[in-house]
Amino acid sequence: MRKFFLGSLTIIVGLLISSNMKAQVRIGGENLPTRGATLDLSSTAAQGYKGGLLIPRIEIHDLRYIPESFTDFETFEQADRDTVPSLTGTVVYNTHADEYKYINVGFHYWNGNSWIPISNNWELTGNNLMDPSSFIGTKKHQPLILGTNSRHVVRIDPTSGRVGIGDGRYASTKLDVDSSILVNGIPIGMGANRDFSADNIAFGKYALKGSGDPTGVANIAFGTNALTQLNYGSRNVALGNHTQMHNVNAINNNAVGDSALSGNIDGYYNSALGSLSLSTSKTGNDNVAVGFLAGAGIVSGRNNIVIGRNSSVSTSITSYELNIETAIRAFNKGYNIALGNFTNLHPTHRLAVNGDIMAQEIHLTSDKRFKKNIEAIPGALNKLLKLQGVSYDWRTDEFEDRQFNNQHQLGLIAQDVEKIVPEAISISADGYYSIDYNKIIPILIEAVKEQEKIRKSKDQEVLDIQQRLAKLEAALN
């Protein structure tokens, strides 16, 4: 019965769609067929129910063949059964799905060679199967454009395959996004949280967020809050969380490390490498800091170079200082240099060494052409006789930062020397005395000369006495 019905339905449908068929047929109801309809199916309330057209349901196990039970040609070869011309255009509802053969449940029609799904649309609620040859798009050489609210928001170029995302965006690379994108909660783009001027790169939450109407260009920000308040500043590089986070208008600053240059507002041409390096600088310029907390303490100072953990300069406004691991420091625009641990010492000498010096030769400038008011040293012997040489040991436990050695020492006491030869004494900024032993040498020389003069005078007196005694002896004899 089922085979008979399917065959009859196929014949009826085939006849109805024939170009030679001009009659109209109405099934159900008493009225004439609707004008323009070849077959008019009607279900009225007077008949007690309303319904629709129930298409035959079958199981398709292969899209290339008609099931054996579909026709009366069971004794025929499969090839003969599949080429029955009258079956072309047959419509059925398939109840069998096969994921591997790409067979879906739903309406199909026979095109003479295979079963074709009547609807190949994707369901809004999801789809389980898809022919690998299927795709979304166009077969013509034209861009695929997706839009919303009458605006083009995605454009795929047909030649290059480049994807542009944005209002009418023409992609210049494989993926070209006309704004920022979010990857696993991390914003990426030019102005990670808002549109920014051109040539900026941002990666991180609130990176290059900007304030007001930002116009800065050529900035690079990687990390949470990196350059987050930047407005007009340009050509800044901030790598690390909170780097240059308060920079508003500054230019040409480079910061690498967590919170590096985080306090900078308007300072320019600064370079900070290391967590919290130059983190307190607000308006300082041309500073270089390398190391954890290096340069922390500088606020408005400029042209400082600080290298080493916790290394800084004298004051928050100090300029032109060099500090390398607190072992090498330069002050007074680089003219005064300190070697050794001078944490609490700011030398007034061109070179200050906190430790021993070993050298084969040391030459001191002494050309007469450089000197004036040249005078002899009076009372050199008297001065020398007043100086008192002593032996002593350094108080190493009380002055560890001085790095004194434990060897027994010979020398002079600076405070005593100051009373006799003040020219040989200098006092550092922190009030400690030092002696220039070279300035004792001229006193030694002149004292020896005075001593020699006295010796010669005494010798002459002895000679005169000896001569008078000789004459006296001669007279007595």
Side-chain angles (χ1 to χ4, degrees):
M1 178 67 182
R2 180 181 179 186
K3 298 177 183 177
F4 174 77
F5 177 76
L6 290 173
S8 300
L9 177 62
T10 302
I11 294 174
I12 292 173
V13 174
L15 291 172
L16 290 176
I17 63 176
S18 172
S19 60
N20 295 324
M21 182 72 177
K22 299 187 179 298
Q24 291 180 292
V25 176
R26 181 182 181 91
I27 300 177
E30 299 177 354
N31 298 326
L32 295 174
T34 301
R35 184 175 181 181
T38 302
L39 175 63
D40 187 351
L41 302 179
S42 176
S43 178
T44 64
Q47 295 171 303
Y49 64 91
K50 286 189 175 182
L53 177 64
L54 182 61
I55 299 297
R57 288 165 289 182
I58 67 170
E59 292 186 0
I60 300 176
H61 292 267
D62 194 322
L63 293 174
R64 299 170 297 175
Y65 306 117
I66 296 175
E68 294 181 358
S69 59
F70 189 77
T71 68
D72 289 330
F73 303 104
E74 294 182 359
T75 58
F76 289 1
E77 295 293 334
Q78 182 172 284
D80 295 332
R81 185 181 71 250
D82 295 341
T83 56
V84 176
S86 60
L87 294 180
T88 301
T90 299
V91 179
V92 298
Y93 185 86
N94 175 45
T95 60
H96 172 73
D98 190 325
E99 177 181 356
Y100 301 101
K101 293 183 178 181
Y102 310 110
I103 301 175
N104 295 321
V105 173
F107 292 101
H108 290 67
Y109 72 92
W110 180 257
N111 70 351
N113 295 299
S114 63
W115 292 106
I116 306 299
I118 290 179
S119 175
N120 204 21
N121 296 328
W122 280 14
E123 299 291 339
L124 296 178
T125 56
N127 302 272
N128 294 323
L129 302 174
M130 180 178 177
D131 190 318
S133 63
S134 301
F135 62 92
I136 299 174
T138 174
K139 294 182 178 180
K140 295 183 179 180
H141 188 77
Q142 60 185 23
L144 173 63
I145 298 175
L146 305 180
T148 181
N149 195 27
S150 300
R151 296 174 56 195
H152 295 174
V153 294
V154 179
R155 185 181 190 277
I156 304 177
D157 186 84
T159 302
S160 64
R162 294 173 177 174
V163 179
I165 300 177
D167 196 359
R169 187 74 171 179
Y170 283 77
S172 58
T173 60
K174 280 299 183 182
L175 178 62
D176 192 340
V177 182
D178 187 22
S179 185
S180 302
I181 62 177
L182 196 67
V183 178
N184 197 24
I186 300 176
I188 303 174
M190 45 182 218
N193 293 277
R194 62 179 297 168
D195 289 338
F196 216 85
S197 299
D199 301 322
N200 292 288
I201 299 175
F203 184 106
K205 187 176 182 181
Y206 304 129
L208 272 176
K209 181 180 180 181
S211 59
D213 184 18
T215 58
V217 298
N219 296 286
I220 300 176
F222 274 60
T224 299
N225 288 325
L227 285 170
T228 185
Q229 296 187 30
L230 192 70
N231 194 358
Y232 303 112
S234 297
R235 294 176 295 280
N236 296 285
V237 176
L239 306 180
N241 294 337
H242 315 297
T243 49
Q244 299 199 57
M245 64 182 295
H246 291 111
N247 186 342
V248 178
N249 301 317
I251 63 172
N252 294 300
N253 293 286
N254 301 300
V256 179
D258 183 75
S259 299
L261 267 173
S262 57
N264 185 45
I265 299 175
D266 293 312
Y268 51 83
Y269 295 108
N270 295 290
S271 295
L273 175 61
S275 297
L276 295 170
S277 55
L278 286 176
S279 56
T280 59
S281 179
K282 294 182 178 180
T283 57
N285 306 321
D286 298 285
N287 295 293
V288 176
V290 179
F292 174 72
L293 276 172
I298 297 175
V299 176
S300 58
R302 57 192 179 93
N303 294 96
N304 296 293
I305 299 176
V306 182
I307 301 174
R309 179 170 61 90
N310 291 319
S311 299
S312 192
V313 295
S314 304
T315 68
S316 62
I317 61 174
T318 296
S319 298
Y320 298 98
E321 280 195 8
L322 166 68
N323 185 352
I324 301 178
E325 283 285 359
T326 317
I328 301 176
R329 300 190 68 175
F331 303 86
N332 189 23
K333 295 187 178 181
Y335 297 144
N336 296 346
I337 297 177
L339 303 180
N341 186 357
F342 282 90
T343 304
N344 300 313
L345 178 62
H346 306 293
T348 54
H349 299 81
R350 290 294 177 260
L351 175 63
V353 180
N354 194 2
D356 298 331
I357 297 177
M358 178 178 288
Q360 292 182 345
E361 294 182 3
I362 296 178
H363 295 267
L364 302 179
T365 300
S366 187
D367 194 301
K368 182 178 181 180
R369 290 171 292 183
F370 296 140
K371 303 175 182 179
K372 64 181 181 179
N373 301 325
I374 301 173
E375 298 177 355
I377 299 175
L381 180 59
N382 184 50
K383 294 178 186 294
L384 184 62
L385 293 173
K386 291 180 180 180
L387 294 176
Q388 182 180 3
V390 297
S391 65
Y392 58 91
D393 293 312
W394 292 116
R395 297 164 68 176
T396 56
D397 295 338
E398 300 175 55
F399 298 94
E400 292 182 357
D401 61 326
R402 293 286 177 154
Q403 300 178 346
F404 293 137
N405 60 47
N406 293 317
Q407 296 177 356
H408 194 60
Q409 305 291 321
L410 298 175
L412 301 171
I413 302 300
Q415 284 84 347
D416 295 339
V417 175
E418 182 184 28
K419 301 173 184 178
I420 304 167
V421 189
E423 298 88 348
I425 300 301
S426 63
I427 304 174
S428 64
D430 52 2
Y432 288 98
Y433 285 61
S434 60
I435 298 176
D436 183 355
Y437 280 91
N438 285 315
K439 291 182 179 178
I440 304 297
I441 295 175
I443 294 177
L444 291 174
I445 294 173
E446 293 303 313
V448 170
K449 290 166 64 177
E450 287 186 25
Q451 184 69 39
E452 181 64 17
K453 185 177 180 180
I454 292 172
R455 185 190 66 79
K456 288 181 178 181
S457 176
K458 296 299 182 182
D459 288 346
Q460 186 61 45
E461 290 178 1
V462 172
L463 180 60
D464 290 342
I465 292 173
Q466 288 176 343
Q467 289 177 350
R468 287 197 297 269
L469 288 175
K471 291 179 179 180
L472 181 59
E473 290 177 355
L476 292 177
N477 292 331

